[in-house]
Amino acid sequence: MKRTAQLLTFFAVMLLTVVAFAAEPLKIGALFSVTGPPSFLGEPERNTAQMVVDEINKSGGIKGRKLELVIYDTAGDATKSVQLANKLIKDDNVVAIIGPSTTGETMAVIPVVEKEKVPLISCAAGSKITDPVKPWVFKTAQNDGLAVAKIFENLQKNKINKVAILTVSDGFGASGREQLKIHAASYGMSLVVDDTYGPKDTDMTAQLTKIRGSEAQAIICWGTNPGPAVIAKNVKQLGIKLPLYMSHGVSSKKFIELAGDAAEGIILPSGKVIVADQLPASDPQKNSLIGYVQSYQRLYGVEGDHFGGHAWDAINLLRRAIEAGATTRETIREQIEKSSNFAGIGGVFTFSAQDHAGLTKDAFVLVRIKGGDWQALE
Amino acid sequence: MNLTDQLTQYILSGLSTGAIYALIGLGFAIIYNSTGIINFAQGEFVMFGGMLGVYFFHKQGLALPIAFLLAVVVTALCGVIFERFAIRPLRRPTPMNMVIITIGGSIFLRGVAMIAWGKDTHVLPTFSGDEPISFAGATLLPQHLWIFAITILLIIGTKLFFSHTISGKAMSACAVNRRAAGLVGIDVRRMIMFSFILSSAIGAMAGIIIAPLTMTSYDVGVMLGLKGFCAAIIGGMSSGLPTVIGGLLLGVLESLGAGFSSGYKDAVAFVILLLILFFRPQGLFSRGSSERV
């Protein structure tokens, strides 16, 4: 009798430890610039990441294992990002990190994760993040080069080969300018005006007057709000009739609201998320996109944008890796690298040992602004 | 498109930005002259004007003129509160204390705006349409005419106020010699408060009339404030024509700078600021120290 009791106690204790062990959540770190200048990236990214993790946990976790998201705000500061990355790795003992939001911060964090061997899924767009490939670094934001290619293709189709570029003098604009210059030659484009403007500038008529006086046949503007909205207004004010192209940096409703009537007719490459409802049912991303946009709308009252989409893709890449049985840093890295045909928000991802960005230029669609809304071209 | 047309466009664009700098500079000068303080929160009053305009127009659904008026009144009220609680409590203020307090105040106001209205950029509709107006080979928007008109009215208004009303003259007296003004029975404190009301209201108006063109967000005050400060320095901190000319000059030079080699636009303003502080700290137009109001 006593022996049975002992045995029962033993099993009970065993059971409890197993339960306790199984309930131990898997820790995922996140670095987003929720405040600071890039907060337009970090805020939707944080909201999205939290939303997806909550959804996973509500449905019982992955194979019974819950996720715990540890989010730190980098305020757009590279030094702070490095400190926080170290904290995530050493104090919080996370199995993977998503973020940071910007290319500058990501480049600063890369040496840390490479040394500590922790998988990092960046939400920033700069091509140099994954070129050359670093074993532990992945990214979900589309390369700027893909957006440039999309614009140049359209220009080629319209038999335009002299363009003026007007880029913002920050990281995003500098990267866009670099890509525009690199790709120009292969598409037979000559950049007749190469001008910049400051991120806080409030009047760009001077630069545009110069462009009006040149032989440019189209204008490409590369920046994030509010600069491009000012440019759209200035273009209208000066009566410039050249086609105006913008970057994916303004593919949010906010841009149309700011530029008002001046936004009409502007063409820009964008992630598919803003035209989710216009996509054919055969599009592999359609389900993910509609699901994301709706749940974000339900939770936060605004439509999910493609910046938040980068975080959605990052968390879901992790989810797939963990579903495939990976629970350690090493195995998660291996599983992400093996991910293929994952239809997310930013595009259809297929990673390999040679490609840690995983997207092709089909990740972008060209849209035209018409009647205050997006209209998919082609 | 020939060079003359381009030049006209640069100058017109420059004048319209410059008019705004002039208004902000005027706000700096008025407070400086009655209190000796450089109020670095002036840019924040401009931001408040724009943001409150957006708030009353979009959130409360008021008509634009009413939103305009309310925004100016509320900003002026903020100016009073700022003076009452941040400036007045200091018994024996040194210039350093004052600079630090107004900078602190500006950070605080920016924070309040960020929490109240978020980090997004907002826009107001133009006052009378978006149809460009051609003028001597250059184009302007109707909004630019509004900017010119309101700037000119405000400048004439302040000029008349300072030279033809008792309060205005009393404020001028405080500028010349505060103690003497007190001795002849002028309520110096009230005059200081007055100057805050005046300059925050002017700042708010500047903020609202540019919001349709340049947009507004919680952090636009920093750059605008610095540019306005620069205009006031060029004008030797005079609350009259010299500051206005300083603003216009700055706007035109910036526009020309951006037209010929973009990327140096802001540098133009700050190089001018430094040169003037080095070589003509009394301003471009005044000789030695003279009456400033």
Side-chain angles (χ1 to χ4, degrees):
Chain A
M1 207 42 211
K2 197 176 168 197
R3 215 185 144 76
T4 331
Q6 257 178 356
L7 215 65
L8 272 176
T9 327
F10 176 72
F11 278 123
V13 169
M14 275 298 285
L15 207 67
L16 275 175
T17 11
V18 170
V19 168
F21 182 72
E24 176 89 6
L26 211 51
K27 274 192 177 177
I28 295 170
L31 298 172
F32 297 130
S33 53
V34 183
T35 61
S39 61
F40 70 100
L41 302 170
E43 207 169 322
E45 283 165 0
R46 179 209 46 197
N47 291 349
T48 305
Q50 195 63 58
M51 176 181 89
V52 178
V53 168
D54 288 347
E55 275 169 10
I56 292 173
N57 286 342
K58 218 178 285 165
S59 62
I62 305 169
K63 291 179 161 178
R65 189 105 184 243
K66 300 225 164 165
L67 298 183
E68 185 186 336
L69 190 64
V70 187
I71 304 175
Y72 291 129
D73 175 17
T74 63
D77 181 345
T79 318
K80 217 166 159 188
S81 304
V82 171
Q83 291 166 350
L84 292 170
N86 272 313
K87 195 167 171 217
L88 282 174
I89 295 167
K90 287 169 185 154
D91 299 350
D92 299 310
N93 208 12
V94 298
V95 290
I97 299 174
I98 61 172
S101 309
T102 65
T103 303
E105 292 166 284
T106 306
M107 294 313 285
V109 166
I110 285 175
V112 180
V113 296
E114 283 291 309
K115 182 166 158 273
E116 301 289 340
K117 300 196 189 317
V118 179
L120 177 84
I121 310 179
S122 169
C123 293
S127 348
K128 55 188 173 187
I129 295 170
T130 51
D131 180 25
V133 171
K134 293 120 192 132
W136 295 88
V137 181
F138 302 85
K139 77 191 197 57
T140 53
Q142 304 95 332
N143 279 338
D144 296 336
L146 303 178
V148 168
K150 211 69 185 174
I151 292 179
F152 281 160
E153 258 178 15
N154 188 265
L155 287 171
Q156 238 175 6
K157 213 166 72 187
N158 296 329
K159 311 235 171 336
I160 291 174
N161 56 18
K162 291 192 187 73
V163 292
I165 62 171
L166 187 51
T167 56
V168 63
S169 57
D170 64 13
F172 181 74
S175 165
R177 181 160 171 259
E178 200 183 302
Q179 293 297 325
L180 283 162
K181 283 175 150 176
I182 292 172
H183 287 73
S186 53
Y187 284 90
M189 298 288 157
S190 62
L191 306 180
V192 289
V193 180
D194 170 9
D195 236 329
T196 59
Y197 66 93
K200 289 271 158 218
D201 281 2
T202 52
D203 183 272
M204 277 63 120
T205 44
Q207 288 95 325
L208 290 166
T209 302
K210 199 159 121 189
I211 291 174
R212 183 167 66 171
S214 74
E215 48 185 358
Q217 300 163 304
I219 304 170
I220 303 175
C221 160
W222 212 268
T224 49
N225 285 329
V230 176
I231 288 174
K233 288 185 171 193
N234 288 164
V235 164
K236 196 174 172 218
Q237 177 201 333
L238 293 176
I240 297 175
K241 295 278 178 273
L242 304 175
L244 179 58
Y245 291 78
M246 294 266 174
S247 72
H248 50 301
V250 294
S251 70
S252 64
K253 274 280 165 65
K254 192 76 203 173
F255 172 70
I256 300 183
E257 182 198 322
L258 293 177
D261 284 346
E264 290 296 300
I266 289 174
I267 298 173
L268 57 127
S270 164
K272 291 181 180 169
V273 64
I274 57 171
V275 287
D277 47 342
Q278 295 174 33
L279 293 173
S282 59
D283 194 288
Q285 287 173 255
K286 181 137 185 160
N287 280 338
S288 304
L289 289 167
I290 299 272
Y292 166 59
V293 172
Q294 285 175 352
S295 27
Y296 198 95
Q297 173 90 41
R298 226 179 4 254
L299 209 56
Y300 299 108
V302 288
E303 276 175 37
D305 56 17
H306 79 151
F307 305 125
H310 302 327
W312 195 94
D313 292 341
I315 295 271
N316 278 291
L317 276 171
L318 282 177
R319 187 225 296 253
R320 285 165 55 103
I322 299 165
E323 272 169 1
T327 50
T328 63
R329 292 171 177 174
E330 178 60 42
T331 48
I332 286 177
R333 191 203 79 84
E334 277 167 16
Q335 283 302 332
I336 295 175
E337 199 167 72
K338 278 190 219 152
S339 305
S340 72
N341 283 322
F342 160 57
I345 304 301
V348 180
F349 292 86
T350 299
F351 291 104
S352 70
Q354 291 80 39
D355 182 8
H356 279 194
L359 291 173
T360 63
K361 69 175 183 298
D362 295 332
F364 281 113
V365 284
L366 273 188
V367 295
R368 175 187 282 137
I369 298 169
K370 198 180 169 197
D373 208 345
W374 314 104
Q375 187 193 35
L377 282 183
E378 84 225 23
Chain B
M1 171 118 221
N2 55 36
L3 200 65
T4 348
D5 284 356
Q6 283 195 25
L7 216 59
T8 333
Q9 183 68 53
Y10 292 149
I11 291 173
L12 270 182
S13 298
L15 285 177
S16 58
T17 348
I20 297 300
Y21 296 163
L23 280 184
I24 303 167
L26 222 52
F28 271 102
I30 290 172
I31 291 185
Y32 178 77
N33 286 322
S34 57
T35 61
I37 298 168
I38 307 259
N39 174 27
F40 282 104
Q42 187 62 29
E44 265 51 46
F45 291 143
V46 179
M47 175 272 290
F48 255 66
M51 292 299 274
L52 281 166
V54 169
Y55 171 76
F56 287 125
F57 181 76
H58 285 303
K59 288 274 154 59
Q60 304 294 327
L62 299 172
L64 199 55
I66 301 172
F68 183 106
L69 224 72
L70 270 178
V72 173
V73 170
V74 174
T75 311
L77 216 65
C78 291
V80 172
I81 296 171
F82 185 71
E83 194 274 335
R84 185 67 194 77
F85 291 100
I87 307 291
R88 197 181 288 186
L90 266 188
R91 291 256 162 248
R92 241 178 253 105
T94 64
M96 205 42 165
N97 286 350
M98 282 303 182
V99 166
I100 291 171
I101 283 185
T102 58
I103 289 178
S106 78
I107 295 172
F108 174 74
L109 289 176
R110 217 175 306 147
V112 168
M114 189 184 90
I115 292 166
W117 299 303
K119 285 170 279 193
D120 269 343
T121 308
H122 301 277
V123 69
L124 278 175
T126 47
F127 295 180
S128 46
D130 294 315
E131 273 318 302
I133 304 163
S134 287
F135 175 78
T139 42
L140 282 178
L141 290 175
Q143 189 68 22
H144 288 115
L145 300 182
W146 277 103
I147 293 178
F148 288 131
I150 291 179
T151 309
I152 292 170
L153 279 180
L154 279 175
I155 290 164
I156 296 174
T158 44
K159 189 76 205 159
L160 290 178
F161 174 74
F162 279 122
S163 49
H164 289 288
T165 64
I166 290 289
S167 306
K169 284 180 182 165
M171 276 168 76
S172 310
C174 291
V176 178
N177 188 325
R178 204 191 295 195
R179 172 171 282 184
L183 285 175
V184 296
I186 293 170
D187 187 346
V188 177
R189 281 189 165 179
R190 225 183 70 210
M191 290 306 129
I192 292 177
M193 183 167 276
F194 241 60
S195 71
F196 268 86
I197 294 177
L198 206 58
S199 66
S200 53
I202 291 179
M205 282 189 218
I208 302 172
I209 57 179
I210 56 164
L213 291 181
T214 67
M215 339 259 155
T216 187
S217 66
Y218 78 99
D219 59 352
V220 294
V222 184
M223 216 33 161
L224 287 174
L226 278 173
K227 298 282 174 64
F229 177 60
C230 192
I233 291 287
I234 297 177
M237 279 293 171
S238 135
S239 49
L241 211 53
T243 294
V244 175
I245 296 174
L248 295 177
L249 197 67
L250 183 62
V252 171
L253 284 175
E254 262 191 19
S255 170
L256 289 174
F260 290 115
S261 71
S262 61
Y264 295 104
K265 193 179 153 210
D266 291 330
V268 170
F270 297 122
V271 167
I272 296 175
L273 179 68
L274 288 178
L275 286 179
I276 288 182
L277 285 175
F278 281 144
F279 298 111
R280 288 196 65 86
Q282 73 275 36
L284 266 191
F285 309 105
S286 62
R287 283 195 200 86
S289 91
S290 60
E291 193 196 354
R292 285 209 185 91
V293 167

